Amino acid sequence: MKKRIFSGAQPTGSLHIGNYLGALKNWVALQDEYEAFYCIVNLHAITLPQDPKTLRQKTLDLARIYLAAGVDPEKSTIFIQSDVPEHAELTWVLSCITRMGELERMTQFKDKGKGNTERAGVGLFTYPVLMAADILLYQTDLVPVGQDQKQHLELTRDLAERFNRDFGETFKIPEPYISKAGASIKSLQDPSKKMSKSDDNPNGSIFLLDDADTITKKIKRAVTDSGTAINFDEARPAIANLLSIYQLLTSKTPEECVAHFESKGYGQFKGELAEATTEFLRPFQERIREYDDTTLADILKCGAEKAKHTAAQTLQDVYERVGFRKNPIAKL
Ligand code: AMP
Ligand code: TRP
């Protein structure tokens, strides 16, 4: 039996190379070795206000991005979260064993609530429980994510252990998979912040759908550090970040990259980085339109059916353990 992985991204904003290098790249690399479920987490998206028409469009766009990045529907299950209602149902049960204090400690809530937690939606507060449900429904072994999700993974493990202890062995305890390289790509405008979809300044991020001109401009404007060396030095985070992006996109080793730029200046470095980024994104962007709408709809329907099959099994076990009777009108 292959081990299982689960991961997801929200259909909001525009995906950037941080999302690709921190998450999607690993999804693609892992899909041969694991049985993979890749979800478009639209229930998560509505924790902040969304325009319904845009959300609907972004949901399909994100499915295309998964496919263009190399997620293969023959190998992996790609589906939309709202097509499998078990996600919302398990969230309720898990909410009842989650402590307020645990959620109050979540740094992403504090960040996204922008300090004004009185006005933040309750969904934003309980969002990590939904994420735990996503993962636990599939008896997941491994969850490939960026560094920013580590705390949510720890909560997921705590909830699974608590449920297993109180109601009997039900959930597999998942492990995070955070690859060192790419786990946290920083903003081009401020290397102390992660590159983020919700950044108000678009110059901080290179989006997967940016054209060559835009990419070149953004990289030219990227902040650098004092000095001239081009190397991986934690004390010079702006250059280290740009060099990591170069390294990950070209698949060279860190030593090769440092040697390559040894006697070169920032101008030339930025020029080569812009070129490497454009070269990398061009074929990706061409693949975005690879599937027509009908084929895409079929892939997502088939994905939802496969996901539902596993999710319904787990939810039925959970309902039974907590003392709900077997649903007389359920199909399973
Ligand atoms: P999101 O777009 O927030 O749904 O995130 C999708 C995935 O991308 C998650 O696994 C995140 O951890 C990852 N991610 C988001 N921002 C970054 C970043 N700046 N560097 C590396 N990974 C990231
Ligand atoms: N919370 C994740 C993010 O914002 C997205 C996500 C939702 C997720 N459910 C998940 C990631 C389950 C991994 C597994 O990036």
Side-chain angles (χ1 to χ4, degrees):
M1 272 269 284
K2 277 189 179 175
K3 287 196 169 182
R4 209 172 262 166
I5 55 183
F6 184 98
S7 198
Q10 302 197 31
T12 52
S14 302
L15 257 70
H16 49 68
I17 53 168
N19 295 123
Y20 177 77
L21 297 172
L24 275 172
K25 189 170 187 242
N26 294 325
W27 298 7
V28 175
L30 292 167
Q31 66 183 343
D32 288 313
E33 201 184 325
Y34 291 85
E35 183 186 1
F37 289 85
Y38 296 130
C39 184
I40 294 147
V41 293
N42 56 352
L43 300 189
H44 285 266
I46 63 165
T47 54
L48 293 174
Q50 305 295 336
D51 168 57
K53 197 162 154 242
T54 312
L55 179 60
R56 193 168 289 128
Q57 186 56 47
K58 290 250 173 209
T59 303
L60 295 177
D61 291 349
L62 186 54
R64 288 188 185 281
I65 285 178
Y66 286 7
L67 294 164
V71 176
D72 179 349
E74 300 281 323
K75 296 179 188 157
S76 304
T77 304
I78 304 173
F79 71 104
I80 298 173
Q81 191 180 27
S82 61
D83 288 343
V84 182
E86 282 77 2
H87 289 250
E89 294 182 71
L90 180 60
T91 301
W92 176 251
V93 178
L94 294 178
S95 301
C96 296
I97 63 161
T98 308
R99 301 174 186 141
M100 295 287 286
E102 284 174 316
L103 296 181
E104 273 160 9
R105 282 197 291 276
M106 297 289 134
T107 55
Q108 203 172 52
F109 171 67
K110 292 183 205 158
D111 292 348
K112 289 200 181 178
K114 298 208 163 88
N116 191 356
T117 50
E118 274 298 307
R119 288 194 58 82
V122 173
L124 193 63
F125 184 63
T126 58
Y127 149 118
V129 186
L130 175 59
M131 177 160 165
D134 296 341
I135 296 165
L136 299 178
L137 272 179
Y138 298 91
Q139 306 293 354
T140 302
D141 294 284
L142 205 64
V143 186
V145 280
Q147 181 67 30
D148 59 344
Q149 298 301 315
K150 188 161 183 264
Q151 200 186 27
H152 294 156
L153 248 296
E154 278 157 16
L155 176 75
T156 303
R157 291 165 56 88
D158 288 346
L159 294 180
E161 278 165 9
R162 190 171 306 153
F163 189 94
N164 287 351
R165 185 197 66 204
D166 293 348
F167 297 99
E169 208 53 35
T170 309
F171 296 122
K172 187 162 263 177
I173 311 297
E175 297 283 341
Y177 177 97
I178 301 170
S179 72
K180 262 206 210 104
S184 190
I185 299 293
K186 307 301 182 194
S187 159
L188 301 187
Q189 290 296 316
D190 178 359
S192 69
K193 290 194 316 195
K194 66 170 188 170
M195 191 178 280
S196 166
K197 280 178 182 171
S198 46
D199 191 341
D200 296 331
N201 181 357
N203 288 326
S205 310
I206 295 172
F207 297 111
L208 296 178
L209 301 181
D210 276 349
D211 60 30
D213 251 12
T214 311
I215 293 169
T216 308
K217 274 192 202 128
K218 285 180 177 176
I219 292 178
K220 271 208 182 120
R221 283 192 202 138
V223 299
T224 51
D225 303 290
S226 56
T228 53
I230 297 168
N231 55 16
F232 293 99
D233 177 357
E234 275 174 32
R236 303 175 65 247
I239 290 296
N241 185 47
L242 294 177
L243 197 55
S244 304
I245 297 173
Y246 179 85
Q247 187 225 322
L248 291 162
L249 291 179
T250 57
S251 303
K252 292 187 178 154
T253 66
E255 295 74 25
E256 281 170 340
C257 294
V258 173
H260 180 73
F261 289 114
E262 193 165 3
S263 53
K264 296 180 184 161
Y266 285 171
Q268 184 159 2
F269 170 46
K270 284 183 163 182
E272 288 195 36
L273 175 59
E275 203 176 314
T277 310
T278 311
E279 283 305 301
F280 171 79
L281 287 179
R282 188 180 302 124
F284 169 84
Q285 291 174 357
E286 281 164 8
R287 285 196 300 271
I288 287 279
R289 293 274 136 224
E290 189 172 334
Y291 293 92
D292 61 49
D293 291 350
T294 320
T295 314
L296 183 68
D298 281 348
I299 291 172
L300 292 170
K301 178 165 182 269
C302 179
E305 276 164 356
K306 278 211 273 189
K308 170 135 190 135
H309 181 77
T310 305
Q313 206 100 43
T314 304
L315 187 72
Q316 189 179 295
D317 285 351
V318 167
Y319 275 8
E320 200 175 305
R321 300 244 150 89
V322 299
F324 296 169
R325 74 167 189 157
K326 195 168 164 30
N327 187 342
I329 60 170
K331 293 210 185 80
L332 192 80

